Every structure is written in C-alpha cells, then in structure tokens.
Amino acid sequence: MAQKKKGGLINRLIMGSEKSEGYARASLPSNRWELFWDIFKGRFWKLVVINLLMLVFFLPLFALLFMRNIAVINYGSIGPFAQGFGVGYQAVTSLVGYSQSIMIEVNLISLLFLPIAVVIAAIGVAGGAYVIRNMIWTEGIFVANDFWRGIKQNVGVMIVIGMIYSIVFYLSEIALSFSDLMLATGSAPGWVMVVSKVATYIVLVLYSIMTFHMITMCVTYKLKFRQLLKNTFLFTIGLFLQNIFFLFLGLLPIVFILIGSIFSMIGYILLILFFFSYCLLVWTDFCHWAYDKFINDKVPGAQKNRGIYEKVKESDSESLKKYRDQLAMGVRSSLNSKPIKPITDDELKLAELPQSFNRNDIEKLNESRRILYEDHERYVEEHKNDPEFQPTEEEKAMEKDRLEREKRIEAAKKELSKRKGKK
C-alpha cells in the first residue's frame, strides 16, 4: 500500500495532478502560461535531448571564453603589480591604466575568433529553435529528425544573425575597454566616458533583444533580412519591459552561476541539462503571444493561438456564438452536421487506470465513461434543433437527388431481373 502511494506521489510530481487523477477536456492549455507548463512537464526529457544537441554546437564558444579568462589571469600573474618590489622587474613609475591596457589587448586578440565560435553556435540554435517552435505549436516531433530539418531550413539566416551580433559584441567590448582606460588615465573628461559607456551598454542590450527576436521570428515567418530587422526593432522598443521580464525568466540558470557558492554548481547543472531549450521555450512562448496580438491578423493564412484551446462555458453566450459561427463556416460533414459539445466541463473527467489497478479502478473508469457519454447525449438532444445543425436548402436538394437516384437504380435492377426471368 505504501509503495502504491509512493508511486502516486512520483506520478503527480512528474505528470501533474490532472494526469494522475484523470483527464478532463478542460485541462487542455488555454493560455501561454499553461502551454509552457504543459510542454515543460510533458516533454521534459525531449527538452533535455534538445539542450544536449545545442550544447555540442556551443562548445567552441565556451572554449573561447574560457581561454580568454585564462589569458587575463596569465597577464595578471606576470604583471609588475603581481610580484614583490624589485623581483626581476624594472622600475615602473606608474601602474595607472595598466590593468585596463591588459584587458584591451586580451579582447583585441581573443575576441577576433568570436565570429567563428558564434557561427558554429548559430547552427545549433537553428535546429533547436525550430524544434521548440513545433513544440509550441503542439505538433508531433522527432527530436533528431526535426533538429536536422531546422538546421537545413534556417542555417543561412541564423549564421547571418550570429555573425552580425558577434561583430556588434566585439566592437562594444573594445569600446568599453577603451572607455575604462581613458577614465583610469584621465585622458578624456570623465562625464564623456561615462556617457559613452552608458550609450554602448544601451546599444548592446537593445541589439541583444533584437537578436533573440530574430531567432524566433526567422523560424516562424519567411521574411527578408531588412524586414526582419525592422520588425524585431519595433518589437524590441514596443515591448521593452515584457522583453526584459521574459529574458530574465529564460536566463535564470545564468543568474544562479553569477550568485556564486553552491548556486554556481546548480546553475552549471541546469546549463548542461536544459538551459538552452528552457530559454528558447520561454522566449518562443512569449513571442507567439506577441505574434498573435500584433502580426497574425495581418498575415494571410497565419493561424492564431496555435497550441492553446479556448474553454467555452455554457454561461458565455459570446463564446458559444463564436463556436457556432465556426461550425457554420466549416464544410458540413458527419462531424459538424450534429451538435458536438465544446470544451466546457471542468468537473467531468475520464478516470485513468493506475499502473497497478484492481476491480474498483475498472469500475471507476467505466462509470466516468458512462457519465461522459450521457452528458454528450444530453447535449445533443438539447441542441439538435439549433439552426446551425439543420440541413441547408442545397443539402436538402442534394439529399433529394440522392434518394431519387437510388430509386432509379432499384427500378433498373428490378426491370433487369424481370427480363432475365422471361428468358
């Protein structure tokens, strides 16, 4: 008995209460927050696999940053301020600006290789962003196959995006290093250097946000690069506070690393397991909310609210009207020529059999099925005379033609049988 309870607890922790207790039609995600949590808990191990695939392409970038830090440490260890006075060093009249000069030299040399490392990382981002987009659209995915398909479809534009960002980052780092040097040596007015540093940080932050938007937008729409720059700039400025908030959510593992101590280890574990896929999931989910609000109504053929389901309540006459209008606009078939109850019932659930079940569990399942069936039949009976479920004049004419055709065929068969009997 204790083992069964333990299994139920683990099941609830992994799958959620709605999966362990039963499945309700109303449990489908109806907003972007619910969609994120539904994907995160339901496809967690796929997110881990996606992250590991992307991590392979980020290894050169991590190696470059590691070597840059090693170079800074080495320069610091052989500098005149790292040794005792007079130990093999010539007299240095002033050390003002010396450390800033070291940072300029290290950045100038090491970051020259940044575009190469970023281009390799962009290949992995092309595959990962495509798979995460399909997850947001709640499409069936095969991680390795879709990852490779995403690379083939988006690698060109991703490389361009990564190359431009690496150049912007390189120039920003060099500009900040020179500003620090001039502030230390007093070569220029202090307020001028402070303003230049603030302006550089603003440009770097804004273009970083634009780059995140480019990654998501280029795997969702087919745009020319000029249009991509324009659209992402508008989204960056118009949704600035939302951008900051969701980027902070997506970059939480990095925050753990920056805190230090035991949190750094937690951050590195999260980085290896699902940082990249988690960050893309948060950002892509947010971006699709923005696309539904500002873009998809203006794009011919674009689908709104992909991956989420509107919950229609009986008391919500406007939602029911919209639901029935959607039925009326569709092509009539055996599925929409009779009432179909929308997703409304939070209290109706189909019981699931646990891994170890008994007769009571089977009876509970059968009872929940019976309740669902009776509820559906009751809805059909109540709405079968609604106008949208009645045949149109065209359908009546087609049905009349069908019956007359069947009568003629039957008459022809009878006449043929009589003639064969006479022979």
Side-chain angles (χ1 to χ4, degrees):
M1 187 68 179
Q3 184 176 0
K4 183 177 180 180
K5 288 183 178 179
K6 182 179 178 182
L9 174 62
I10 298 300
N11 190 50
R12 284 193 295 272
L13 289 174
I14 297 176
M15 302 301 293
S17 59
E18 73 275 13
K19 291 299 182 184
S20 61
E21 299 299 331
Y23 175 76
R25 288 176 290 176
S27 66
L28 295 172
S30 60
N31 56 58
R32 293 293 170 187
W33 293 101
E34 292 180 4
L35 178 61
F36 165 79
W37 179 241
D38 189 68
I39 294 174
F40 187 78
K41 69 179 181 180
R43 299 189 174 186
F44 177 79
W45 293 113
K46 287 188 177 181
L47 292 174
V48 172
V49 174
I50 295 168
N51 192 80
L52 293 176
L53 289 173
M54 295 178 65
L55 185 62
V56 173
F57 291 91
F58 273 84
L59 290 178
L61 180 59
F62 290 153
L64 175 62
L65 297 178
F66 177 76
M67 295 302 296
R68 174 181 175 276
N69 290 336
I70 293 298
V72 172
I73 294 173
N74 288 338
Y75 270 99
S77 64
I78 63 176
F81 43 72
Q83 304 291 337
F85 177 76
V87 184
Y89 284 93
Q90 61 184 5
V92 179
T93 57
S94 176
L95 294 178
V96 175
Y98 196 88
S99 60
Q100 288 79 10
S101 300
I102 290 177
M103 291 304 302
I104 292 176
E105 184 175 354
V106 171
N107 287 335
L108 281 172
I109 298 174
S110 63
L111 294 184
L112 280 176
F113 299 94
L114 184 64
I116 299 174
V118 170
V119 163
I120 296 173
I123 298 174
V125 173
Y130 178 82
V131 181
I132 296 297
R133 184 210 69 178
N134 289 347
M135 281 187 172
I136 293 293
W137 288 357
T138 62
E139 295 183 355
I141 62 168
F142 296 94
V143 174
N145 185 52
D146 286 355
F147 191 88
W148 173 243
R149 183 181 292 116
I151 291 177
K152 290 194 296 184
Q153 291 185 6
N154 306 295
V155 65
V157 65
M158 284 293 184
I159 287 177
V160 174
I161 292 171
M163 183 70 72
I164 295 177
Y165 182 77
S166 65
I167 294 173
V168 171
F169 186 86
Y170 178 81
L171 295 177
S172 299
E173 281 292 314
I174 299 303
L176 291 171
S177 299
F178 272 104
S179 296
D180 289 336
L181 177 61
M182 291 182 179
L183 279 173
T185 58
S187 303
W191 68 269
V192 174
M193 292 297 98
V194 172
V195 170
S196 66
K197 287 187 68 175
V198 171
T200 302
Y201 278 120
I202 291 175
V203 171
L204 184 59
V205 169
L206 289 178
Y207 196 77
S208 297
I209 297 174
M210 283 182 61
T211 301
F212 273 93
H213 275 294
M214 288 183 200
I215 291 171
T216 307
M217 194 171 289
C218 75
V219 299
T220 307
Y221 305 101
K222 292 187 178 298
L223 299 171
K224 295 180 179 179
F225 195 77
R226 178 175 58 83
Q227 296 173 319
L228 191 64
L229 284 174
K230 176 184 176 181
N231 291 342
T232 53
F233 177 76
L234 293 176
F235 273 90
T236 299
I237 300 300
L239 300 173
F240 184 75
L241 294 180
Q242 293 93 325
N243 293 329
I244 296 298
F245 175 73
F246 284 101
L247 276 178
F248 175 78
L249 285 183
L251 298 175
L252 273 179
I254 300 297
V255 175
F256 280 103
I257 294 176
L258 296 178
I259 292 175
S261 184
I262 187 65
F263 294 101
S264 293
M265 183 173 296
I266 296 174
Y268 284 118
I269 293 174
L270 296 179
L271 179 69
I272 295 173
L273 287 180
F274 56 81
F275 166 67
F276 298 111
S277 55
Y278 162 77
C279 183
L280 279 176
L281 180 60
V282 172
W283 186 254
T284 305
D285 197 21
F286 157 66
C287 286
H288 277 74
W289 166 82
Y291 300 158
D292 287 338
K293 190 173 184 179
F294 299 106
I295 293 182
N296 288 336
D297 286 331
K298 303 174 184 179
V299 177
Q303 299 183 34
K304 291 187 64 175
N305 299 324
R306 295 188 70 168
I308 61 178
Y309 305 86
E310 181 182 5
K311 294 180 181 179
V312 184
K313 297 182 178 180
E314 293 290 349
S315 58
D316 191 349
S317 58
E318 186 64 28
S319 296
L320 281 175
K321 183 178 181 299
K322 180 180 177 181
Y323 163 72
R324 289 169 178 172
D325 289 344
Q326 290 173 348
L327 283 178
M329 292 172 61
V331 179
R332 290 179 64 86
S333 68
S334 60
L335 293 178
N336 59 14
S337 61
K338 64 180 182 179
I340 301 176
K341 188 169 185 179
I343 302 172
T344 59
D345 298 314
D346 295 338
E347 72 277 4
L348 292 181
K349 298 180 180 180
L350 181 63
E352 286 189 355
L353 290 177
Q355 189 171 7
S356 299
F357 58 89
N358 52 34
R359 181 179 295 274
N360 290 333
D361 295 320
I362 297 176
E363 291 177 354
K364 182 179 178 182
L365 174 61
N366 291 334
E367 179 66 15
S368 64
R369 286 177 177 173
R370 183 187 63 80
I371 293 174
L372 286 173
Y373 177 79
E374 291 178 355
D375 179 73
H376 173 70
E377 291 299 316
R378 184 165 53 253
Y379 182 87
V380 172
E381 184 65 26
E382 292 173 356
H383 296 277
K384 65 180 180 180
N385 294 323
D386 290 356
E388 63 268 26
F389 300 119
Q390 303 305 311
T392 63
E393 294 298 326
E394 182 181 355
E395 290 173 332
K396 290 179 180 178
M398 292 176 61
E399 181 65 16
K400 184 178 179 180
D401 291 342
R402 186 184 67 81
L403 294 175
E404 290 179 355
R405 185 167 60 253
E406 289 180 355
K407 288 180 180 180
R408 290 196 299 268
I409 292 174
E410 289 297 326
K413 288 181 179 179
K414 291 179 180 179
E415 183 64 25
L416 185 60
S417 298
K418 289 180 181 179
R419 292 180 182 180
K420 288 183 178 180
K422 290 180 182 181
K423 291 181 179 180

